[in-house]
Amino acid sequence: MAARRALHFVFKVGNRFQTARFYRDVLGMKVLRHEEFEEGCKAACNGPYDGKWSKTMVGFGPEDDHFVAELTYNYGIGDYKLGNDFMGLTLASSQAVSNARKLGWPLMEVAEGVFETEAPGGYKFYLQNCSLPQSDPVLKVTLAVSDLQKSLNYWCNLLGMKIYEKDEEKQRALLGYADNQCKLELQGVKGAVDHAAAFGRIAFSCPQKELPGLEDLMKREKQKILTPLVSLDTPGKATVQVVILADPDGHEICFVGDEAFRELSKMDPEGSRLLDDAMAADKSDEWFAKHNKPKASG
């Protein structure tokens, strides 16, 4: 399992302008690549939508050694109803705290030196007012689970993650594939996990040769496979193989072949300009305003 890597979390976004401002100007992330698609993804990367959409990867450095955010924008959809499934992304950056204060972006101190803020769309981020020596400031993604022990069995026994911390009393556990990677925190909640329409997806890579075996394991264990092994094309870039799974609470999990993904995910120096150009060319807000209609909700 040492060859497995935590890659990114997928967020559906309704307002690209405000979202770009948050990630670039508040958090201080860079646009790593931007891609436009004319029709929905075979692995439902953009959610259950079959129209035009875009994908923007943002992070503190190259995808080879940083955990990043994948921002998916479906043209014509202005917002997505939030559930209780995504509980936050935690990063250590005194610069982000300073940026938020300068820009008047709302911050609420929830523990000493830890500030809660929201990305457009209501996604929670926790900013630690410190800068750590490791290269990637993104520390963990927190997801809600209804039965911690059942989830640990899935993520550790089936997906091979290591437990870094476990607190039975607080019903939480911190998991990961390696010390220097972003961690996955599972937090027990009362009642069911509701994914609503804004549900995201967490992505990992593994050697491509492991993908068929991973799918077979899930079949044997009678676990949910949302998308069996499939090849995904990106115009002008590498084709990758993925299998999409769901954990016991329905959290979507993408495993992608590492070799081709490293090729696909190379940083594009034109990424930021491509995003800006796409936003400038997207007249949907003006069209809806002119016709006095609201954009659709996801």
Side-chain angles (χ1 to χ4, degrees), residues 21-297:
R21 183 167 179 253
F22 175 75
Y23 284 93
R24 287 195 289 207
D25 301 345
V26 178
L27 297 186
M29 288 183 174
K30 301 178 186 77
V31 174
L32 304 172
R33 54 190 170 102
H34 176 82
E35 294 144 10
E36 295 278 329
F37 300 86
E38 291 302 317
E39 57 185 28
C41 169
K42 281 192 282 187
C45 313
N46 60 316
Y49 309 97
D50 59 8
K52 186 178 176 183
W53 66 289
S54 75
K55 173 199 294 184
T56 310
M57 309 303 286
V58 292
F60 288 105
E63 291 177 66
D64 268 1
D65 52 10
H66 289 76
F67 189 86
V68 308
E70 176 177 317
L71 311 175
T72 66
Y73 171 73
N74 290 290
Y75 284 81
I77 297 183
D79 60 81
Y80 300 89
K81 185 174 185 295
L82 284 173
N84 66 350
D85 50 347
F86 175 78
M87 298 185 75
L89 187 147
T90 301
L91 56 94
S93 170
S94 49
Q95 187 60 56
V97 174
S98 167
N99 293 344
R101 284 175 172 150
K102 272 185 210 150
L103 294 167
W105 202 275
L107 286 177
M108 179 171 69
E109 192 161 16
V110 290
E112 191 176 347
V114 180
F115 296 86
E116 180 186 296
T117 190
E118 281 186 10
Y123 304 109
K124 290 201 183 319
F125 280 69
Y126 294 92
L127 312 181
Q128 295 183 2
N129 195 14
C130 61
S131 293
L132 299 179
Q134 77 256 30
S135 63
D136 188 5
V138 181
L139 304 179
K140 65 182 179 182
V141 172
T142 306
L143 300 179
V145 297
S146 59
D147 181 331
L148 183 60
Q149 200 46 54
K150 194 174 176 182
S151 294
L152 286 175
N153 180 57
Y154 181 90
W155 287 94
C156 300
N157 296 348
L158 298 184
L159 293 184
M161 283 192 136
K162 172 183 163 189
I163 298 177
Y164 281 83
E165 296 171 16
K166 187 178 174 189
D167 187 328
E168 292 279 4
E169 196 180 336
K170 291 183 177 170
Q171 279 294 289
R172 66 171 285 275
L174 193 69
L175 314 177
Y177 281 122
D179 298 358
N180 63 346
Q181 291 182 21
C182 174
K183 304 298 183 292
L184 170 65
E185 182 176 53
L186 303 178
Q187 176 62 60
V189 294
K190 287 186 169 65
V193 174
D194 174 19
H195 297 275
F199 65 89
R201 175 182 287 180
I202 191 163
F204 302 92
S205 71
C206 66
Q208 188 166 310
K209 64 177 190 282
E210 289 182 15
L211 290 172
L214 180 60
E215 186 176 326
D216 289 345
L217 172 66
M218 292 303 168
K219 283 177 183 165
R220 285 200 307 276
E221 295 290 332
K222 297 184 169 45
Q223 297 294 335
K224 193 175 278 188
I225 298 169
L226 298 176
T227 305
L229 190 57
V230 65
S231 292
L232 300 182
D233 298 323
T234 298
K237 296 190 178 179
T239 295
V240 296
Q241 287 196 309
V242 305
V243 61
I244 313 295
L245 312 173
D247 83 346
D249 285 296
H251 289 291
E252 294 197 0
I253 308 154
C254 171
F255 272 91
V256 59
D258 189 73
E259 301 86 345
F261 186 78
R262 284 185 188 270
E263 191 61 37
L264 169 69
S265 63
K266 283 182 178 167
M267 189 171 168
D268 179 0
E270 293 293 305
S272 204
R273 182 188 63 76
L274 290 171
L275 170 61
D276 289 336
D277 288 352
M279 290 193 296
D282 178 8
K283 305 296 183 192
S284 57
D285 285 345
E286 291 171 27
W287 188 92
F288 281 97
K290 185 178 168 185
H291 291 81
N292 205 22
K293 290 180 177 179
K295 269 192 172 182
S297 288

